[in-house]
Amino acid sequence: MKKISLIIIILAFTAVSVKTQNFLIDQFKLTGRHIFEKKGAKKWVVWQELIDEKRGESVFNKNFAEAKGTEAKFDLTKIKDKETIYHISAQGERFTQKYKIRVFESDKISSFLYKSGNNPDLRTYIFVPKTVDSNTRILLVMHGLSRNADEYIASWEIWAAENNYIVIAPYFDEENWKGSAMYNLGNIFTDDGVRKNRSEWSFQIVEDIYKMVKKGFGLKRNYFDIFGHSAGGQFVHRFALFMPDSDLRLAIAANSGWYTLPDLEQKFPYGLKHPRLSFTRGDMLKWSRRHVFIMRGTDDTERTENLRQTPEADAQGQNRSDRAGFMFEKIKSVNPETNWRLLDVPNVAHSQKAMAGDVQKVLEQFNSRASAH
């Protein structure tokens, strides 16, 4: 009798669990009419959430749309200057399936707020081409010291539309990501040198944003490319080191102010010596085998106040152009057959906008070679 009673209790508990079970499907879509299907669904309810892209204020429209049956069609529109999210529930007798749909207008720059754990929210600019499909590639664009991610992504609109790229430009604001330590040095350590949880690294957050967008749009290519200029270039070459297992395919670091060298004897951040780091010669070899392009404008030779001028930085050269060459020679000393390349861009000074065209040519050539193989 006791065994039968126990079985009845288990079955009853399972029935209640199934009845209240919720599923969440998180997707990214272009504005337009979308069809949803769910076997056993009887009712569909849609809430619209609008988040001001500048102020971050959120407003819900809880009576946006409803439908009945196993199939529902909804017109999901991106509202200008608002991050637009649709919360859709498909309700049946024993389930509630939930969808969270972020909607973007094609061939235009918009943004979304990326949330992760206890980290500050990160406003992330994005450009989605109208040609987006499972073969679309992703490019991450990293801003410089001016923290002007919106201006950086604007340099990529036309090219991305023509080359079927989603471009993502995370905005690491100065208030929440102060100085080089929290942004282009990866936010790896606290001020007193304690190593932070990996989920707090700016490197990891950027990797996670890529994964979110890739999954949201259902892309099948298991890689991304990344470009950064100035402080963004610093971020990029360090990302290639500290994220050895990432999906990074090609890293392009342009006009970086200074570098973390492949030197196990020099103290971090100028080298890799640190009590809470454990890099080996094998790690440096792995770093040297990644596809990293160092690009420098031939006219980027001024010693401005934004150029770090510590003894360690000056040992790399007196200006950004010299320091790029110094870094390249250092990586070649680790591995003469390195996959790194040093590319000069004639008649260009310290300008991400002026560099963008040559960076785009590098990406086109790299894609052509990859397709040929």
Side-chain angles (χ1 to χ4, degrees):
M1 273 302 280
K2 288 183 179 180
K3 186 178 286 187
I4 294 173
S5 299
L6 183 60
I7 292 172
I8 291 172
I9 291 171
I10 292 172
L11 288 173
F13 179 78
T14 302
V16 171
S17 298
V18 170
K19 213 168 189 177
T20 59
Q21 193 170 7
N22 293 325
F23 303 89
L24 177 63
I25 298 175
D26 201 341
Q27 295 179 329
F28 286 34
K29 293 183 180 294
L30 291 180
T31 187
R33 173 162 288 194
H34 297 281
I35 300 174
F36 299 85
E37 291 183 74
K38 176 61 182 175
K39 185 178 180 181
K42 293 187 175 182
K43 183 180 179 181
W44 299 76
V45 177
V46 182
W47 289 11
Q48 182 192 60
E49 181 181 7
L50 301 177
I51 304 173
D52 190 288
E53 292 188 15
K54 292 183 178 179
R55 295 189 297 273
E57 299 168 353
S58 179
V59 176
F60 276 92
N61 177 3
K62 297 183 178 180
N63 300 306
F64 182 80
E66 290 188 0
K68 293 182 178 180
T70 58
E71 180 182 287
K73 299 178 182 179
F74 299 114
D75 291 319
L76 307 181
T77 304
K78 165 72 169 71
I79 305 302
K80 185 179 179 181
D81 298 327
K82 308 288 184 183
E83 179 183 348
T84 309
I85 304 172
Y86 293 92
H87 302 271
I88 303 174
S89 296
Q91 302 169 5
E93 286 187 6
R94 296 183 178 274
F95 68 86
T96 298
Q97 178 167 296
K98 294 185 177 181
Y99 301 79
K100 184 177 181 180
I101 312 294
R102 292 178 177 83
V103 175
F104 303 92
E105 192 169 357
S106 66
D107 288 350
K108 290 189 177 180
I109 296 170
S110 57
S111 71
F112 63 92
L113 203 60
Y114 179 73
K115 299 174 180 288
S116 61
N118 295 321
N119 298 317
D121 294 344
L122 204 69
R123 175 60 57 187
T124 302
Y125 294 92
I126 187 169
F127 176 90
V128 185
K130 64 182 177 183
T131 54
V132 64
D133 58 16
S134 61
N135 287 311
T136 300
R137 293 183 172 94
I138 289 180
L139 173 71
L140 281 151
V141 172
M142 307 307 302
H143 60 69
L145 181 67
S146 298
R147 313 284 178 136
N148 50 342
D150 55 340
E151 294 180 21
Y152 270 60
I153 197 171
S155 299
W156 289 85
E157 277 187 277
I158 297 174
W159 184 88
E162 294 174 347
N163 290 273
N164 197 24
Y165 261 86
I166 291 174
V167 181
I168 307 166
Y171 167 44
F172 287 88
D173 65 274
E174 183 64 45
E175 181 180 352
N176 292 302
W177 305 90
K178 295 179 181 178
S180 60
M182 296 188 75
Y183 172 45
N184 38 298
L185 283 168
N187 198 35
I188 295 171
F189 299 107
T190 63
D191 291 340
D192 55 359
V194 176
R195 184 163 168 164
K196 294 184 178 181
N197 187 295
R198 191 183 186 90
S199 64
E200 298 178 72
W201 294 8
S202 57
F203 297 143
Q204 185 63 54
I205 290 170
V206 166
E207 170 90 359
D208 292 342
I209 290 173
Y210 144 72
K211 289 181 178 178
M212 178 184 180
V213 174
K214 175 181 180 292
K215 182 179 179 182
F217 277 110
L219 309 183
K220 71 178 184 181
R221 296 183 188 273
N222 293 318
Y223 64 79
F224 66 93
D225 303 318
I226 188 168
F227 159 67
H229 179 268
S230 195
Q234 293 185 43
F235 181 100
V236 166
H237 87 274
R238 295 183 185 114
F239 182 98
L241 169 66
F242 281 92
M243 303 293 287
D245 299 320
S246 75
D247 289 343
L248 175 64
R249 181 186 69 155
L250 174 61
I252 304 175
N255 292 340
S256 301
W258 58 283
Y259 297 84
T260 295
L261 305 174
D263 186 338
L264 298 175
E265 300 304 318
Q266 186 168 8
K267 290 183 179 180
F268 184 81
Y270 298 99
L272 301 178
K273 185 178 180 180
H274 191 284
R276 292 179 177 83
L277 293 177
S278 55
F279 287 111
T280 65
R281 178 167 174 76
D283 294 320
M284 291 191 296
L285 282 169
K286 189 171 183 178
W287 190 23
S288 75
R289 294 185 185 117
R290 303 205 83 155
H291 291 284
V292 178
F293 283 62
I294 297 177
M295 297 183 68
R296 60 181 178 179
T298 58
D299 291 349
D300 194 358
T301 57
E302 294 184 8
R303 284 176 65 82
T304 65
E305 62 179 10
N306 289 331
L307 180 69
R308 183 174 288 211
Q309 298 178 28
T310 61
E312 296 90 345
D314 279 347
Q316 298 179 12
Q318 293 296 296
N319 55 58
R320 293 181 178 88
S321 180
D322 290 345
R323 292 175 185 182
F326 186 87
M327 179 63 187
F328 185 61
E329 291 303 317
K330 281 290 185 180
I331 205 75
K332 281 202 303 180
S333 71
V334 171
N335 178 10
E337 297 181 358
T338 180
N339 285 323
W340 288 44
R341 296 291 181 267
L342 176 64
L343 300 178
D344 287 328
V345 182
N347 306 315
V348 171
H350 197 65
S351 166
Q352 67 85 18
K353 189 174 182 180
M355 294 290 287
D358 285 84
V359 176
Q360 290 159 7
K361 291 176 184 176
V362 169
L363 282 164
E364 290 169 13
Q365 292 168 4
F366 200 85
N367 289 335
S368 295
R369 287 197 298 269
S371 298
H373 291 87

